[in-house]
Amino acid sequence: MLELKNIWVKYGKKAAVRKLSLSVNKGDFVTILGANGAGKTTMLNAISGIVKVKKNEGEIYFKGEKINGWKPGKIASLGIIQIPEGRKLFPLLTVKENLLIGAYLRKDRKGIQQSMDEALTLFPVLKDKLNAKSRELSGGQQQMLAIARGLMAKPEMLLLDEPSLGLSPLIRQQLAETIKEIHREGVTLVLVEQNARLGLMLASYGYVLENGEMSLQGKTSDLLKNDDVKKAYLGV
Amino acid sequence: MPPAEILIEGLTQSCIYMTMAFGMVLVFSILGILNWTHGQLFMLGAFIVFYSTTAAGIPFPIGILLAGLVMAGIGILIKKFIIDRIKGELYIGVATLALIFALEGAASLLFTSDDRGLAIILPGVLNLGVVAISYQKMAVIIFTLIVMTAMYFVLNHTKVGLAIRAVAQQPVAASLYGISTERLSLIVMGIGCALAAMAGAIMAPLYPINPFIGRTPMIMALLAIVIGGLGSLTGAIVGGLILGFLHSVIAYYISYLSEVVLFGLIILILLVRPQGLFGASAK
């Protein structure tokens, strides 16, 4: 479904991502591990079109279409939606307005209303806050809104960037359950996590990024047993 | 207490500064730049209404709409052919500054720099007992109320308005959901420039018209934005209101030094609230 072939992303002379390849099939749940600055967010932004990957610096395919160079909106309309790091909500818009932005590209009024109902069933806490400005929400609620906003686009694939960042263990647990639920409903997931344990517990396949390069990949059950992974990311 | 006529005059000025400042902030919130040539669009709006009513016999209200429409088009052209082709806020700023002189020069060539006057369109005075207000000034006030109500509606109750607010607050996330900043930039540039032109047009019967009448409203709008808090639409409105009154009232008491006192007061406001009245404080 999603295929990255040898992509490079450079900021000036420094390469943030080098010769990176990755493949995600429909229905997969993939996690990307890596330290701060390993290039995880850059990779997601390259997929979403926020960072442009030049024609001679690799290829990105989604559902058979070559999407590098496309505008973020056009990529989103194909069904890949990113839930960005740090939530990036619209602070002065209400919860409801934030959700509506998620459905900005859609024209089916009924479908939008249905997605809104589904999102509020998944995150009941948002129901009472529909008219509150998003900056008034707690950190956990903001993360839920960020995910709900993404679901409003009716994505086929969701790219989640550090959703657990700054959340309490309890909320993190709730979030993990919700992410599993979203996957069960048929959305293909790519989860970037600094909390490696969480990522490996949830996903079925994992990649390890180091200094912009893929250093390791495999089933998460194998990665959990891998000594290098244990030492570097699980603190064992 | 200054006489009521001075307050009415102040309110009329306020209306113009508000409309100008609102358009500038709207453009700033999406494009991230201040369009320095906003005042010249005001001036051209006045000329369009002058010629369309005197030479072409077009009714005044239609002339105002025409001014707005034409200058919205010019604004979009400025965006596409000047702002988009230059990189860097500073250089774009310099380019729109240069446009001040280009547009004033062009207007002087076309229309000469003589003062022109448009006859009062709505003669007569409404006598409210304590104060008398001319219909022409009332037209300015009502026009501004209509424009501001319309803008409030567009921003808060339409899809385009929602998109404008979203991009102003969080452009990256907005683009992730398919909002085209490029298209919105053209829309807000069109709206902002139309507002300036219509402000110039509605004021045309009240003051002499020449190629240089855009300067004062532009500076006042800029000051309104600064004391209101750069980026805040509410700030632009309140700032415009304050400045219009201050300008007229100070001029009533001390005509020669009025500008000096006005700018002194503005500096004082900024010393107390550096972020402006409605700006987010820089933490």
Side-chain angles (χ1 to χ4, degrees):
Chain A
M1 192 180 201
L2 176 71
E3 186 95 37
L4 271 60
K5 285 185 182 166
N6 301 321
I7 66 160
W8 288 76
V9 177
K10 289 172 193 154
Y11 294 124
K13 278 187 180 159
K14 199 181 166 291
V17 155
R18 50 189 108 207
K19 225 180 155 224
L20 195 113
S21 295
L22 168 118
S23 146
V24 183
N25 292 320
K26 195 171 167 56
D28 276 359
F29 190 159
V30 170
T31 187
I32 318 281
L33 311 181
N36 231 339
K40 302 179 305 269
T41 297
T42 302
M43 186 190 88
L44 293 191
N45 283 341
I47 298 171
S48 289
I50 304 266
V51 173
K52 293 268 179 288
V53 175
K54 291 184 198 128
K55 288 236 164 67
N56 57 355
E57 296 187 330
E59 292 162 325
I60 305 176
Y61 290 94
F62 185 69
K63 292 199 285 188
E65 294 223 53
K66 191 173 169 185
I67 59 171
N68 31 331
W70 286 24
K71 290 201 169 131
K74 203 173 165 200
I75 294 173
S77 68
L78 275 186
I80 314 181
I81 293 295
Q82 185 190 147
I83 314 288
E85 186 181 8
R87 352 247 194 255
K88 298 213 164 49
L89 296 170
F90 305 105
L92 299 175
L93 299 190
T94 64
V95 168
K96 190 174 178 192
E97 286 170 332
N98 269 278
L99 292 173
L100 287 175
I101 293 284
Y104 188 78
L105 287 169
R106 296 171 64 184
K107 302 268 185 287
D108 53 328
R109 270 170 179 257
K110 271 191 189 152
I112 293 172
Q113 187 55 48
Q114 199 190 337
S115 295
M116 174 108 52
D117 293 341
E118 283 167 13
L120 295 177
T121 317
L122 199 59
F123 301 107
V125 64
L126 297 178
K127 218 173 205 163
D128 306 325
K129 307 260 177 187
L130 276 179
N131 293 316
K133 293 199 168 90
S134 71
R135 69 167 173 195
E136 293 160 11
L137 303 182
S138 70
Q141 290 167 345
Q142 290 193 2
Q143 186 58 55
M144 290 171 196
L145 176 56
I147 295 176
R149 181 181 63 180
L151 291 175
M152 290 297 291
K154 229 179 176 183
E156 289 181 52
M157 178 181 280
L158 215 47
L159 313 174
L160 289 147
D161 197 355
E162 305 272 12
S164 78
L165 203 69
L167 300 184
S168 71
L170 184 70
I171 302 286
R172 203 184 297 153
Q173 200 51 46
Q174 282 178 13
L175 181 76
E177 289 305 320
T178 315
I179 291 175
K180 272 195 250 176
E181 172 71 25
I182 292 168
H183 181 237
R184 263 199 301 276
E185 277 167 21
V187 181
T188 308
L189 294 180
V190 176
L191 171 66
V192 161
E193 261 301 334
Q194 246 184 328
N195 185 333
R197 193 177 302 275
L198 185 73
L200 291 172
M201 299 296 271
L202 289 171
S204 50
Y205 200 83
Y207 290 86
V208 179
L209 253 179
E210 260 175 68
N211 296 320
E213 285 176 278
M214 236 23 132
S215 64
L216 198 63
Q217 57 173 292
K219 283 190 190 151
T220 46
S221 50
D222 294 337
L223 289 176
L224 276 165
K225 288 181 226 144
N226 183 295
D227 284 339
D228 292 339
V229 172
K230 274 188 189 168
K231 227 187 282 170
Y233 302 105
L234 300 175
V236 183
Chain B
M1 189 70 186
E5 283 71 29
I6 296 298
L7 295 179
I8 295 291
E9 173 62 25
L11 184 58
T12 317
Q13 300 282 350
S14 297
C15 285
I16 295 314
Y17 302 161
M18 262 191 253
T19 312
M20 295 276 292
F22 189 91
M24 284 185 81
V25 171
L26 193 65
V27 170
F28 177 79
S29 67
I30 302 297
L31 277 73
I33 52 137
L34 285 169
N35 173 27
W36 296 103
T37 192
H38 220 65
Q40 283 59 51
L41 306 176
F42 172 94
M43 173 270 290
L44 289 173
F47 270 108
I48 290 176
V49 94
F50 175 80
Y51 281 107
S52 64
T53 47
T54 55
I58 294 169
F60 183 61
I62 311 267
I64 294 173
L65 288 179
L66 186 71
L69 221 57
V70 171
M71 296 321 289
I74 300 278
I76 288 170
L77 291 179
I78 291 175
K79 163 77 174 66
K80 278 216 131 177
F81 291 101
I82 297 173
I83 295 175
D84 279 356
R85 312 235 162 172
I86 299 170
K87 279 213 169 73
E89 284 161 36
L90 178 64
Y91 299 106
I92 294 173
V94 172
T96 59
L97 266 177
L99 268 181
I100 294 178
F101 303 103
L103 293 175
E104 284 184 352
S108 303
L109 263 178
L110 276 171
F111 313 126
T112 75
S113 46
D114 299 340
D115 272 349
R116 253 154 254 262
L118 191 59
I120 293 286
I121 311 280
L122 297 163
V125 170
L126 179 70
N127 205 329
L128 294 170
V130 275
V131 56
I133 168 168
S134 78
Y135 287 125
Q136 197 68 55
K137 282 185 180 162
M138 254 173 73
V140 175
I141 296 163
I142 291 168
F143 161 82
T144 308
L145 274 176
I146 293 172
V147 165
M148 289 299 156
T149 313
M151 288 314 301
Y152 179 84
F153 179 81
V154 168
L155 283 173
N156 290 295
H157 297 285
T158 66
K159 201 170 172 181
V160 166
L162 182 63
I164 289 174
R165 287 183 296 145
V167 170
Q169 290 170 34
Q170 184 52 265
V172 173
S175 74
L176 277 175
Y177 294 101
I179 298 175
S180 160
T181 311
E182 174 53 35
R183 202 174 67 94
L184 279 187
S185 302
L186 293 179
I187 293 174
V188 294
M189 192 70 186
I191 294 176
C193 296
L195 289 182
M198 291 196 292
I202 190 86
M203 285 294 266
L206 287 167
Y207 296 93
I209 304 166
N210 66 51
F212 309 103
I213 54 168
R215 294 182 174 186
T216 306
M218 161 69 200
I219 298 212
M220 291 299 165
L222 195 66
L223 293 174
I225 292 169
V226 172
I227 61 173
L230 183 55
S232 162
L233 290 171
T234 320
I237 294 173
V238 176
L241 206 58
I242 294 173
L243 266 174
F245 278 112
L246 277 183
H247 197 197
S248 309
V249 172
I250 294 171
Y252 171 73
Y253 285 115
I254 26 170
S255 59
Y256 290 112
L257 282 172
S258 69
E259 253 91 28
V260 178
V261 175
L262 181 64
F263 292 127
L265 267 175
I266 288 161
I267 289 170
L268 206 65
I269 292 177
L270 290 177
L271 281 174
V272 180
R273 258 189 92 81
Q275 73 274 32
L277 298 173
F278 289 84
S281 63
K283 276 175 196 159

